[in-house]
Amino acid sequence: MTPDTASGPGDLAGRRRLRADQARLVADVIRQQILRGTYSALPDERSLGEEFNASRNTIRDALDLLRADGLIERQPGVGTVVVGRKYAHGLDRLMGLAETLHEHGTITNEVRTATVIDAPATVAQRLECVRAVYIERLRMLNDLPLSLDLTYLPVDIGEPLLAEDLRNRDIFGLIEQVHGQPLGVAEIGMEAVNADPHSAMILQVPRGSALLLVERLSHFGCGRPIDLEFIRFRGDRLTIRAHVSRG
Amino acid sequence: MTPDTASGPGDLAGRRRLRADQARLVADVIRQQILRGTYSALPDERSLGEEFNASRNTIRDALDLLRADGLIERQPGVGTVVVGRKYAHGLDRLMGLAETLHEHGTITNEVRTATVIDAPATVAQRLECVRAVYIERLRMLNDLPLSLDLTYLPVDIGEPLLAEDLRNRDIFGLIEQVHGQPLGVAEIGMEAVNADPHSAMILQVPRGSALLLVERLSHFGCGRPIDLEFIRFRGDRLTIRAHVSRG
């Protein structure tokens, strides 16, 4: 594959740029194969070079990009193996983490804080309450940190949950069980941010690591807003998946 | 707000941890206010301290977190002003970037590559084709980089597009216009990744900046897959928004 570029491949800067562009292109396709679980070990560099019609150096650069993301490792005598594992959290249905990932292992929660507070004005406004329950959990999948979740609930919704098993249960499930009402719709916002030093320490990632920051306001079926969350997912452990329709 | 924590506030490490936790909590709420366009300048530290029932030092730490994300700046004599602007890309309907953001300004595309290639095996499999059109665009909103998009189209779909206005038009719109068929459903995957040096240079962000990496496979209404994209959004310029239902 030899794409044309605005600055031709004649000069050295042009060639370097071309190789970096090609490495990204190769890395993106291999990355998706890894996420889909196609590989445990990658094909050798020569085979990849043939598949992508790219030079050995380009393939090496592509593998460097994937290694920097923690997805693969080169093991002497074995080749390039997949070490990172990302889990898919679907957006097609509103679900808690344990519900979503139960087939991949056990979600446990380190409850860092669970208390009643005066809601900050903007939280009070969105949850239509004055007092709120604030719960902070570090969520682990198979004993490795996956996300740090900050949750606000109106006090009448949240207070009965403080006696429940916050360590092993999703808050969604607890709300529905304790209050006997199904959840309805949630508004979700997603951003990529760099981990501040303290969040990085808690999530056991290097400072500055890319995190997926999700803000989610969930409602009861009747429309009442009852759960405002700020979730920091480790970028190297989670992919969000969704289906979107044009119509 | 004085949340209980497992390690009490008695020792210095405990107090530091408490303040870092509180700063994150305050920053998350203010961040959402900024993203919703509530502020042009932030209330002063004393008012924020009252709203969050937090110390002046905690508020300062929270503002430091938001400044590190490029959302605010302290201006002598003025106070703390909002400088970052994030745009919302909705996931509730499948739309191109120019369609989504037209009210915020003009999207223009620097076409870095547009050419016919032998599709790599995994692209060929997903697009059910042997030859593909590969288009690489740097997408700018009001002349600032927003995303770097790598697009693969089956050759019969993509080749007629090479003569069209790729600089100013979304590919979605061009496909529908040129082929007279509406798009249907897309499968989307979203991750947070750190920018590699070359992508960082193109997107004009520091190395390692958090990017939102979106993989999207779009289909015609009839089900045929016709557009595979790998999009790197600048984390500091875009939020993805969606509504999700429990039922």
Side-chain angles (χ1 to χ4, degrees), chain A residues 22-242:
Chain A
Q22 281 209 280
R24 179 191 306 107
L25 168 167
V26 170
D28 279 353
V29 174
I30 297 178
R31 161 191 288 276
Q32 291 309 318
Q33 295 293 98
I34 291 173
L35 297 184
R36 275 160 212 288
T38 310
Y39 302 126
S40 57
L42 256 56
D44 61 30
E45 291 175 2
R46 199 174 51 80
S47 311
L48 289 171
E50 278 168 15
E51 173 177 349
F52 290 95
N53 191 17
S55 73
R56 188 70 75 94
N57 282 334
T58 300
I59 297 297
R60 283 191 187 138
D61 286 356
L63 298 180
D64 281 345
L65 291 173
L66 296 169
R67 193 160 38 243
D69 279 349
L71 289 173
I72 59 170
E73 260 176 23
R74 216 170 278 177
Q75 288 184 357
V78 180
T80 302
V81 298
V82 174
V83 290
R85 183 71 203 278
K86 283 205 180 190
Y87 300 93
H89 192 341
L91 263 198
D92 294 329
R93 235 191 98 208
L94 181 60
M95 284 171 88
L97 206 55
E99 285 179 281
T100 306
L101 300 180
H102 67 94
E103 69 203 62
H104 299 298
T106 308
I107 294 279
T108 52
N109 309 305
E110 181 193 318
V111 180
R112 306 181 78 241
T113 303
T115 188
V116 179
I117 59 166
D118 291 327
T122 50
V123 171
Q125 189 190 335
R126 298 191 67 196
L127 287 178
E128 299 167 8
C129 68
V130 175
R131 302 273 289 164
V133 163
Y134 175 71
I135 300 171
E136 194 174 306
R137 295 168 301 159
L138 176 62
R139 314 201 68 182
M140 325 274 287
L141 175 61
N142 300 331
D143 298 323
L144 259 185
L146 185 62
S147 67
L148 177 64
D149 295 19
L150 281 51
T151 304
Y152 300 86
L153 309 163
V155 72
D156 64 303
I157 301 295
E159 207 159 27
L161 268 55
L162 295 177
E164 299 291 330
D165 183 9
L166 293 171
R167 184 169 168 76
N168 295 298
R169 298 280 308 273
D170 283 341
I171 285 183
F172 282 173
L174 287 175
I175 291 175
E176 292 183 323
Q177 177 195 311
V178 168
H179 295 282
Q181 280 195 60
L183 293 173
V185 172
E187 300 150 27
I188 298 185
M190 284 165 284
E191 305 168 67
V193 300
N194 291 98
D196 64 87
H198 189 249
S199 300
M201 189 190 69
I202 295 170
L203 288 166
Q204 297 175 29
V205 292
R207 286 182 184 202
S209 293
L211 305 178
L212 203 59
L213 175 56
V214 174
E215 187 229 25
R216 182 170 63 186
L217 178 62
S218 304
H219 305 254
F220 270 146
C222 64
R224 182 183 170 199
I226 44 97
D227 181 352
L228 177 60
E229 295 183 66
F230 301 89
I231 311 172
R232 280 170 175 77
F233 288 108
R234 276 176 56 158
D236 64 339
R237 297 205 77 205
L238 197 100
T239 303
I240 303 253
R241 296 213 172 275

Side-chain angles (χ1 to χ4, degrees), chain B residues 109 111 161-171 174:
Chain B
N109 309 305
V111 180
L161 268 57
L162 295 177
E164 298 292 329
D165 183 9
L166 292 171
R167 184 169 168 76
N168 295 297
R169 297 281 307 275
D170 284 341
I171 285 183
L174 286 176

Side-chain angles (χ1 to χ4, degrees), chain B residues 111-139:
Chain B
V111 180
R112 305 180 78 242
T113 303
T115 187
V116 179
I117 59 166
D118 291 327
T122 51
V123 171
Q125 188 190 336
R126 298 191 69 197
L127 287 178
E128 299 166 8
C129 67
V130 176
R131 300 274 289 165
V133 163
Y134 175 71
I135 300 172
E136 194 174 306
R137 295 168 302 159
L138 175 62
R139 314 201 68 182

